[in-house]
Amino acid sequence: PELLPDAQPGDLLEISAVDESGRAGAGALIVQVSEESLAHAGARELAHGAAVSVVKALADLFGLKARSSVVVTRVGRTDEAELAYVELLVKEQYISRSEIWQLQRGLLSQCVYAGKLLVHGGLRLQVQRLTMPTGAPCLCGLIAAQTKLVF
């Protein structure tokens, strides 16, 4: 709240590591603001100053080091973060057409990253590969109505 006072639940933020020259590096983490994260961030900022907390597995994936500087920017348009394809790994489970449809609706407007485990309606899936509309592979993004799920 202190760094982005007008941040609202559902906003997309891009977190990038800062390189030696002081500029944001490549391979940014895109996260979605939730009500819980805003409440938690407010209490932490009052106690320790401005900080961003990221789970270690994600920090390693995106090259973020503990107690290092990062650049946090708001994603201006959601279509900048939208994914074209999300490849999901399903092991030893049967998925009906109706479950696929419900899964697509349930994942709409959610941020995902490579390796993320999803649990939806009793299904366990793991995000394998993500592709942007340009065809470029990426590590994270937003599932939109146009996003194709590949099993």
Side-chain angles (χ1 to χ4, degrees):
E2 181 180 308
L3 296 175
L4 297 166
D6 55 343
Q8 298 294 320
D11 286 353
L12 297 177
L13 303 177
E14 185 177 81
I15 303 171
S16 304
V18 176
D19 61 12
E20 296 81 29
S21 64
R23 296 187 314 180
L29 169 63
I30 297 173
V31 295
Q32 194 167 31
V33 177
S34 67
E35 289 184 26
E36 296 83 22
S37 64
L38 282 176
H40 179 67
R44 188 180 59 247
E45 284 178 0
L46 290 174
H48 304 295
V52 175
S53 295
V54 178
V55 176
K56 184 173 178 6
L58 279 179
D60 292 344
L61 184 64
F62 290 92
L64 303 172
K65 294 181 177 38
R67 306 201 192 306
S68 64
S69 296
V70 295
V71 176
V72 179
T73 55
R74 178 176 283 116
V75 175
R77 300 184 338 244
T78 57
D79 61 341
E80 294 174 6
E82 287 180 0
L83 297 165
Y85 296 97
V86 176
E87 185 176 316
L88 299 168
L89 176 67
V90 182
K91 290 185 180 179
E92 301 175 9
Q93 296 179 75
Y94 172 76
I95 302 177
S96 67
R97 284 186 180 194
S98 65
E99 289 173 321
I100 290 173
W101 185 83
Q102 290 171 358
L103 179 66
Q104 287 176 322
R105 296 291 156 233
L107 294 178
L108 198 61
S109 298
Q110 280 195 19
C111 285
V112 294
Y113 57 89
K116 181 175 184 173
L117 287 172
L118 302 171
V119 178
H120 187 274
L123 297 173
R124 291 177 42 90
L125 309 120
Q126 184 175 18
V127 177
Q128 288 294 105
R129 280 190 221 137
L130 306 170
T131 307
M132 298 299 287
T134 60
C138 62
L139 293 174
C140 66
L142 180 72
I143 295 178
Q146 302 87 334
T147 303
K148 306 282 189 256
L149 300 181
V150 180
F151 298 91

